[in-house]
Amino acid sequence: MPFLCPDSSSFLFGLKRLADCSAINPMHQVPAIVDGRFKLFESHAILIYICSAFPGVANHWYPSDLSKRAKIHSVLDWHHSNLRRGSAGLVFNIVLAHRDSHHSYPQAVNQAEEILIRSLSKLENFWLKDGRFLVGSSQPSIADISLVCEIMQLELLSEMECNRILSPYKKVVNWIEDTKKATAPHFDEVHDFLFKAQKRIRERMTTEFRKNEMKSKL
Amino acid sequence: MPFLCPDSSSFLFGLKRLADCSAINPMHQVPAIVDGRFKLFESHAILIYICSAFPGVANHWYPSDLSKRAKIHSVLDWHHSNLRRGSAGLVFNIVLAHRDSHHSYPQAVNQAEEILIRSLSKLENFWLKDGRFLVGSSQPSIADISLVCEIMQLELLSEMECNRILSPYKKVVNWIEDTKKATAPHFDEVHDFLFKAQKRIRERMTTEFRKNEMKSKL
């Protein structure tokens, strides 16, 4: 089975690794794949295509049962306007906008955090209420990979912030660990880039914090 | 074939019409369906489920060919963070927030319009570049229904605003007409609610405009 991680910062799969996919995706975004002459982008579409087009992918990743498959489509669709918007919005406005000198508005940060908290609460109380994995499943699906990878972006915030946001959601925290275990050792492998970025960002944060502390003492 | 319109204001299908779906969808949003004991929400998931679970749905709505199907998933996924966010965001911030006394920030209006214009440009120059319908198809798919219905929300703006936004995109305008024709008479039937709302909103806008004009003369 090809292991997939649809997180845009760390996309690894069995077809081709793309450092720059603008020639493949006219939207200038990752992930994108090339399979022969066929080009495809959008992480969920890619996950579904790989599960459908390649033999040997275990059924639990994208069940052939229509009701189970429909529930997976439902959570993947929900993800776009909820967890993704909250998590990516928060990381963009706190970490990336600052780094890349883009505008970041407090209102945008608050709105993203509000969407994220509401989404984590729905994950805890609805999507994970019936099983270890999403939509009541005992084994992971492509939805677990996609949504856990979205949450993993929060690792770019400070450790304190990341814990403050996630720790109230016990089922979510356990589910992240279960997904990591179910996909080991690939999970850490594809998040290597993220953890390297985390190290740089947290070091910069500490330096800035110390500088400001020194200034306030003087 | 059941005719489907996933627009939340006018959802009609062959299973059940829901005036209040909160008992079916814990996210308290429409659309949502019940098929026997099976409950499902999220418009794209519903469209895919109905095409897959019910016999007699023509293949062009959700092709069985894996590459064609993958392209449909791709445009449906793209839709969430682009056209949907732009169109629904603009209508919410200009029309609905005002009506329901919610906060509406000029920055949010500008951001939504920017996303919408960018999305319409991608529709014109990428998604519609190879055919009358999305992803180079000569017949409509569930993606055409979903995306056209999203654009239909713009009818709640003033006629001038709606024309200003859409008229530069000739292919988009033709595609909307082609989708209307391909789904007639159901298209107008399911948008009846929208056009009734449009009438009320535009009448209120005219009254407010006249009031302000009178005030400025006094």
Side-chain angles (χ1 to χ4, degrees):
Chain A
M1 194 213 74
F3 178 71
L4 322 156
C5 176
D7 163 25
S8 61
S9 66
S10 52
F11 187 70
L12 181 69
F13 49 86
L15 304 178
K16 195 171 178 182
R17 187 161 194 163
L18 301 164
D20 174 11
C21 79
S22 60
I24 292 139
N25 179 2
M27 307 294 169
H28 302 272
Q29 287 177 328
V30 287
I33 62 165
V34 181
D35 179 25
R37 292 174 64 186
F38 182 63
K39 295 172 186 173
L40 187 65
F41 60 90
E42 282 293 336
S43 60
H44 296 170
I46 292 172
L47 287 162
I48 292 171
Y49 175 75
I50 296 183
C51 288
S52 309
F54 293 83
V57 180
N59 192 53
H60 63 85
W61 292 107
Y62 186 57
S64 50
D65 175 86
L66 284 186
S67 307
K68 285 183 185 166
R69 182 170 283 197
K71 290 285 184 188
I72 286 171
H73 289 155
S74 180
V75 67
L76 286 173
D77 285 331
W78 172 83
H79 175 206
H80 283 288
S81 308
N82 294 280
L83 183 64
R84 170 158 293 168
R85 213 170 145 191
S87 184
L90 196 65
V91 170
F92 176 82
N93 281 289
I94 290 184
V95 181
L96 304 183
H98 179 69
R99 187 199 64 181
D100 301 339
S101 312
H102 286 299
H103 283 295
S104 171
Y105 303 94
Q107 182 208 327
V109 173
N110 293 342
Q111 192 195 32
E113 184 166 337
E114 198 184 292
I115 296 171
L116 175 62
I117 296 299
R118 206 167 49 230
S119 302
L120 290 169
S121 172
K122 290 288 181 196
L123 274 169
E124 182 86 1
N125 300 309
F126 178 69
W127 294 114
L128 289 166
K129 76 178 163 50
D130 297 322
R132 274 175 69 205
F133 295 101
L134 294 169
V135 298
S137 183
S138 60
Q139 286 182 291
S141 74
I142 54 172
D144 296 283
I145 296 180
S146 178
L147 274 71
V148 166
C149 285
E150 200 69 50
I151 294 177
M152 286 302 290
Q153 290 181 73
L154 299 176
E155 292 283 344
L156 295 180
L157 306 178
S158 73
E159 199 175 348
M160 200 174 73
E161 272 293 276
C162 192
N163 286 342
R164 177 184 67 80
I165 292 169
L166 287 178
S167 62
Y169 305 99
K170 305 298 176 203
K171 279 188 189 171
V172 171
V173 171
N174 288 338
W175 161 66
I176 295 169
E177 284 310 308
D178 285 341
T179 306
K180 281 184 188 177
K181 280 179 202 156
T183 54
H186 309 292
F187 196 94
D188 286 341
E189 208 175 295
V190 295
H191 284 89
D192 182 51
F193 178 89
L194 184 86
F195 286 116
K196 280 185 180 144
Q198 179 197 59
K199 195 168 176 282
R200 283 197 305 276
I201 289 164
R202 288 190 177 170
E203 278 170 3
R204 198 190 62 213
M205 278 178 186
T206 310
T207 310
E208 277 177 20
F209 177 77
R210 282 186 189 147
K211 264 189 200 167
N212 290 334
E213 215 177 27
M214 289 274 280
K215 266 188 202 165
S216 69
K217 278 182 187 169
L218 291 174
Chain B
M1 191 213 76
F3 177 72
L4 322 155
C5 176
D7 163 26
S8 61
S9 66
S10 52
F11 188 71
L12 181 71
F13 48 86
L15 303 179
K16 195 172 178 181
R17 186 160 194 165
L18 302 164
D20 174 10
C21 79
S22 60
I24 292 140
N25 179 2
M27 308 294 170
H28 302 274
Q29 287 178 328
V30 287
I33 62 166
V34 181
D35 179 24
R37 293 174 64 186
F38 181 62
K39 294 172 186 174
L40 187 65
F41 59 90
E42 281 293 337
S43 60
H44 296 170
I46 292 172
L47 287 161
I48 292 172
Y49 175 76
I50 296 183
C51 287
S52 309
F54 292 84
V57 179
N59 192 53
H60 63 85
W61 292 106
Y62 186 56
S64 50
D65 174 87
L66 284 186
S67 308
K68 286 183 184 166
R69 182 170 284 196
K71 290 285 184 189
I72 287 171
H73 289 156
S74 179
V75 67
L76 286 174
D77 285 331
W78 172 84
H79 175 206
H80 283 287
S81 309
N82 295 280
L83 182 64
R84 170 159 292 168
R85 211 169 147 191
S87 184
L90 195 65
V91 171
F92 176 82
N93 281 290
I94 291 184
V95 181
L96 303 183
H98 180 69
R99 188 200 64 182
D100 301 338
S101 313
H102 287 300
H103 283 295
S104 171
Y105 302 94
Q107 183 208 326
V109 174
N110 293 342
Q111 192 194 32
E113 185 165 335
E114 197 184 292
I115 296 171
L116 175 61
I117 296 300
R118 206 167 49 229
S119 303
L120 289 169
S121 172
K122 290 288 180 195
L123 275 169
E124 182 86 0
N125 300 309
F126 178 69
W127 294 113
L128 290 167
K129 75 177 165 48
D130 297 322
R132 273 175 70 204
F133 295 101
L134 293 169
V135 298
S137 183
S138 59
Q139 286 182 291
S141 73
I142 55 172
D144 297 282
I145 296 181
S146 179
L147 274 72
V148 166
C149 284
E150 200 70 50
I151 293 177
M152 286 302 290
Q153 289 180 72
L154 299 176
E155 293 283 343
L156 295 180
L157 305 178
S158 72
E159 199 174 346
M160 200 174 74
E161 273 292 275
C162 192
N163 286 342
R164 178 183 67 79
I165 292 169
L166 287 178
S167 62
Y169 305 100
K170 305 297 177 204
K171 279 188 190 171
V172 172
V173 171
N174 289 339
W175 161 67
I176 295 170
E177 285 309 308
D178 285 341
T179 305
K180 281 184 188 178
K181 280 179 202 156
T183 53
H186 310 292
F187 196 94
D188 285 342
E189 209 175 294
V190 295
H191 284 90
D192 182 52
F193 179 89
L194 185 86
F195 287 115
K196 280 184 181 145
Q198 179 197 59
K199 195 169 175 283
R200 283 198 305 275
I201 288 164
R202 288 189 176 172
E203 278 170 3
R204 198 190 63 213
M205 277 177 184
T206 310
T207 311
E208 276 177 19
F209 177 77
R210 282 186 189 146
K211 264 188 199 168
N212 291 334
E213 214 177 27
M214 289 274 280
K215 266 188 202 166
S216 69
K217 280 182 186 168
L218 291 174

